[in-house]
Amino acid sequence: MLADYQQIVIAAVLCWVLFVTVDIVFRLPEKGGVSGATAIGQSIEEHGGALAGGTMMGNIVSSPDASAGTLLAACGVYVAGLPGGLAAAALVFFGNRICHDPGYAGTTGAVLASLMVAGFAGIGFAPENFIAGMVIAILTIQGLSHRHASRLLARIWGWRS
């Protein structure tokens, strides 16, 4: 079986692809879906980033989206297997409603992540490595460089069109 650090790298890539894909499918780069998302996107654009990517990042910050859903699902699967991941998805759903988020990116991300983490646990991946992988994936989008991450997200968003 793969070493922990190898599992973490694979998990980070899978989680990154999952949450970015879900956020793109739910059109988060298009406009701010919740309070504050547009302001964050505009601020990132003013500092040299791309508006579409900044808006997606604003949606990520302002409401439980696919990245938060994926992380919570990984934690749920770690604690209680697939039922724990699905319970986390239910909590994300309620969190979205509390934020008046009109979409279901977070809930969808949490359900898909629950299935992914539980499936990979069945072939020997440790769920805690998905928690670490998801933190790394979120860090690459939200923490390293808003300017560069927003441009990358805007480029991916452009491929969708």
Side-chain angles (χ1 to χ4, degrees), residues 28-41:
L28 293 187
E30 191 170 56
K31 61 184 166 104
V34 291
S35 179
T38 302
I40 291 170

Side-chain angles (χ1 to χ4, degrees), residues 74-130:
C75 293
V77 172
Y78 172 71
V79 170
L82 183 58
L86 297 176
L91 293 174
V92 170
F93 173 80
F94 291 121
N96 284 129
R97 304 295 61 85
I98 290 168
C99 294
H100 301 286
D101 188 336
Y104 296 94
T107 305
T108 302
V111 170
L112 292 174
S114 296
L115 296 172
M116 178 177 71
V117 175
F120 274 88
I123 62 169
F125 275 66
E128 60 267 26
N129 290 338
F130 274 91

